[in-house]
Amino acid sequence: MSASWALLITCEHGGNAVPGDYSPLFADWGEVLASHRGFDLGALATARVLARAVAAPLLAATVSRLLVDLNRSVGHPRLFSGVTKGLPHAARQTILAAHYHPHREAVARLAAEGLAAGKTVLHIASHSFTPRLNGVTRHCDVGFLYDPGRAAEKTFCGRWLRELACLDGDLILRRNYPYRGVSDGLATALRRRFGERYLGVELEVNQRFALGGEETLTSVSDHIADALVRALGRKTVCR
């Protein structure tokens, strides 16, 4: 990779904060807010490690996805949760204006600036997933989500995955798992908006690392970040 790339790290589900005006709505949702339904446990910590490692800007949101999901498009049935989807239209628009649009527009603005500077944008969105969902264990430690129809994304994710495998051969690494890289999301929307010079990669880290404690999460995050640096060509490639 060369200096012609502009890097951008984001985290759409970095916390489970509920703005004060909406606290009464969530009075009985404490356990859900603290679960994977409320936020992506560990994703913000990983995003910070990545951003430091590659000296990239980090745009992170800490409002709970139960208020509004910043990784869903307007009109998506899960944009609002069961807590907020029943609010009047004007109230939902207020939530979008205060919490949804500012994050999405800030990410798009940085991507546009990189493209305007003649660079190719590499946007990495940091997410995490629960180890078990609906009684099914997810056999993956780190997933790389991308559009397999876009050669540059496929090539880069393959390089990043290989470097991580070299650094930690015990990790279970998968492509487009536990979700499809072309599903509705911020990266998918920006691909349509910006074309081939925009690369959108969603990183999915198993929450078992965050549940294992700060040291465990830091260790895997450091490996992921080191592998990213290597994939960018900034260190000797793993042999």
Side-chain angles (χ1 to χ4, degrees):
M1 308 289 284
S2 72
S4 63
W5 288 67
L7 303 177
L8 169 61
I9 311 296
T10 70
C11 186
E12 283 63 55
H13 304 140
N16 57 1
V18 174
D21 290 347
Y22 302 98
S23 293
L25 293 174
F26 291 88
D28 299 323
W29 287 74
E31 288 188 10
V32 181
L33 278 169
S35 75
H36 69 93
R37 293 175 59 190
F39 73 119
D40 279 2
L41 181 65
L44 181 53
T46 298
R48 287 171 173 155
V49 172
L50 294 176
R52 286 196 300 268
V54 297
L58 168 61
L59 295 179
T62 57
V63 66
S64 175
R65 70 201 310 172
L66 292 175
L67 183 74
V68 60
D69 192 330
L70 305 188
N71 203 40
R72 300 296 184 192
S73 298
V74 171
H76 191 281
R78 293 199 297 275
L79 175 66
F80 293 100
S81 72
V83 185
T84 53
K85 67 170 48 178
L87 292 174
H89 176 76
R92 285 183 277 120
Q93 292 302 306
T94 297
I95 291 173
L96 291 177
H99 304 287
Y100 178 89
H101 292 304
H103 177 78
R104 306 262 300 201
E105 290 169 0
V107 176
R109 183 166 54 252
L110 281 183
E113 289 173 358
L115 294 172
K119 299 183 177 183
T120 297
V121 172
L122 174 59
H123 168 205
I124 299 170
S126 178
H127 295 271
S128 68
F129 62 94
T130 183
R132 286 178 61 84
L133 184 66
N134 299 325
V136 177
T137 298
R138 288 152 145 189
H139 297 288
C140 178
D141 291 320
V142 182
F144 299 86
L145 277 54
Y146 59 93
D147 182 347
R150 292 164 65 93
E153 287 184 5
K154 182 177 181 179
T155 298
F156 180 78
C157 285
R159 185 181 299 126
W160 193 3
L161 185 153
R162 288 192 299 273
E163 293 294 342
L164 183 54
C166 285
L167 290 169
D168 190 341
D170 293 329
L171 292 174
I172 301 173
L173 310 178
R174 298 184 65 174
R175 303 167 190 249
N176 286 318
Y177 183 91
Y179 309 106
R180 296 171 62 242
V182 294
S183 298
D184 179 69
L186 178 54
T188 300
L190 294 180
R191 289 184 195 119
R192 290 194 296 265
R193 178 169 176 177
F194 292 123
E196 295 296 325
R197 286 175 51 220
Y198 164 86
L199 276 65
V201 176
E202 292 186 67
L203 177 73
E204 290 280 354
V205 178
N206 195 315
Q207 291 175 7
R208 75 174 184 86
F209 296 104
L211 292 169
E214 182 178 353
E215 184 176 347
T216 302
L217 178 60
T218 298
S219 177
V220 73
S221 297
D222 284 344
H223 281 158
I224 294 169
D226 196 14
L228 174 60
V229 171
R230 291 168 180 265
L232 290 166
R234 298 180 180 179
K235 283 187 178 179
T236 301
V237 176
C238 227
R239 299 296 183 185

